[in-house]
Amino acid sequence: SYEVNVLNEKGEKLSSDRTTLGTGNTSSSNILQINAGTEPITDNKFGLAQPAGPKLTKEQLAKIQADNKKIAGLNSLISDAQNARQAQDWPKAENALKQLIAAAPDTTRWDFYMALGEAQSKSNKPAEAVQTYDKGIQVAQSLISGSSPADPKIPSLNPAAAKQGAGRMLTAQGNDYLKLQKPDDAIASLKKATEIDPSSALYSYNLCGVEFNAQKFDDARTACNKYLQLAPSGSHAEEVKTFLTQMPAK
């Protein structure tokens, strides 16, 4: 049998196999820095035009902007959350992040939901984490579509960063569904990640491996071939070719 890893954007292992699932590399837990106005997610490779989202009322826009401004002012909670994450004190990080979100429930800071989901996952609360990621993905998609306003002062609050964040949250959510032994839900999340960024070889690799392990060979063949198309000499090319040779003929 083959060990299949779900990897994050740094190439770090989130989980392995479909039954024995690891918790990932906790020494590299700082996927994002939680600061009032600076985030390291600056990759602007998603240059595609986005469809216009549903138009918000002036009142809704004002509420979103007020909540984003309120969060930027909650420096002590932001600092508590970041320090707890650096110390890998996941219960403390979860508490601080929940307080932040409760203080500004209409915020479009999807990155806070991503950090909260990570803290819950690290605390072995995968069922709570998948719900948190659902909310974070929904918030990120509102920025991607343009239905929520971007904020040039906060790098995470622009469509390109939100698109990258949504892909990362869907990958993490897929990993947590695997921990819950829900491979079909995991596949659905990982498939959405490939739809958000079809150019990501990593997302295709994750989907290929999990579908292969779930014995969904027709779907796995598509995802594995997509990986090889995107990264013919990529670091997982030989592994993916092995998966393909092990699949029963159509």
Side-chain angles (χ1 to χ4, degrees), residues 1-2 4 18 187 206-217 219-221 224 242-248:
S1 70
Y2 293 91
V4 173
R18 56 183 160 161
I187 286 167
N206 284 335
L207 182 60
C208 152
V210 173
E211 287 178 334
F212 175 80
N213 253 0
Q215 299 185 14
K216 295 182 181 292
F217 296 121
D219 292 338
R221 189 176 286 107
C224 293
T242 302
F243 292 158
L244 287 164
T245 63
Q246 294 299 316
M247 292 180 198

Side-chain angles (χ1 to χ4, degrees), residues 63-72 107-109 154 157:
K63 184 74 171 78
I64 287 170
Q65 288 164 340
D67 272 10
N68 286 342
K69 189 173 182 181
K70 190 188 294 180
I71 274 198
T107 181
T108 46
R109 289 295 296 266
I154 303 175
L157 294 186

Side-chain angles (χ1 to χ4, degrees), residues 4-240:
V4 173
N5 298 324
V6 174
L7 303 178
N8 66 16
E9 75 285 350
K10 295 180 183 176
E12 298 162 345
K13 182 166 70 172
L14 286 175
S15 71
S16 62
D17 211 341
R18 56 183 160 161
T19 50
T20 312
L21 299 167
T23 55
N25 181 354
T26 54
S27 65
S28 302
S29 60
N30 273 337
I31 290 178
L32 78 159
Q33 298 291 319
I34 305 174
N35 295 312
T38 57
E39 305 293 342
I41 303 170
T42 56
D43 185 350
N44 208 23
K45 66 183 177 180
F46 307 111
L48 302 176
Q50 296 302 326
K55 202 163 179 66
L56 296 179
T57 65
K58 285 182 180 177
E59 291 78 10
Q60 287 172 312
L61 285 171
K63 184 74 171 78
I64 287 170
Q65 288 164 340
D67 272 10
N68 286 342
K69 189 173 182 181
K70 190 188 294 180
I71 274 198
L74 296 172
N75 288 327
S76 62
L77 277 177
I78 291 170
S79 178
D80 285 349
Q82 182 59 25
N83 290 339
R85 292 179 78 246
Q86 288 177 336
Q88 296 173 35
D89 184 343
W90 303 115
K92 186 175 179 181
E94 180 181 1
N95 183 52
L97 287 158
K98 279 183 171 177
Q99 287 184 66
L100 271 172
I101 291 167
D106 287 330
T107 181
T108 46
R109 289 295 296 266
W110 57 266
D111 43 338
F112 287 169
Y113 288 100
M114 184 164 75
L116 175 57
E118 180 197 32
Q120 290 167 328
S121 183
K122 299 281 192 185
S123 296
N124 200 27
K125 298 178 181 178
E128 291 181 32
V130 296
Q131 297 297 320
T132 298
Y133 287 132
D134 262 345
K135 177 64 177 171
I137 292 158
Q138 180 186 342
V139 168
Q141 285 175 329
S142 75
L143 280 159
I144 295 167
S145 70
S147 64
S148 292
D151 186 339
K153 295 178 184 174
I154 303 175
S156 63
L157 294 186
N158 72 70
K163 198 167 189 176
Q164 187 180 18
R168 286 160 62 169
M169 285 186 280
L170 285 161
T171 300
Q173 185 182 55
N175 179 57
D176 281 314
Y177 275 130
L178 288 176
K179 289 183 189 175
L180 293 165
Q181 298 185 14
K182 294 183 174 182
D184 288 348
D185 289 328
I187 286 167
S189 294
L190 296 173
K191 193 170 284 185
K192 284 177 189 171
T194 66
E195 290 164 359
I196 277 183
D197 185 5
S199 68
S200 169
L202 177 62
Y203 293 164
S204 289
Y205 165 73
N206 284 335
L207 182 60
C208 152
V210 173
E211 287 178 334
F212 175 80
N213 253 0
Q215 299 185 14
K216 295 182 181 292
F217 296 121
D218 284 347
D219 292 338
R221 189 176 286 107
T222 299
C224 293
N225 281 324
K226 177 70 171 176
Y227 171 81
L228 291 174
Q229 177 191 336
L230 291 168
S233 16
S235 56
H236 305 291
E238 293 308 311
E239 180 185 7
V240 167

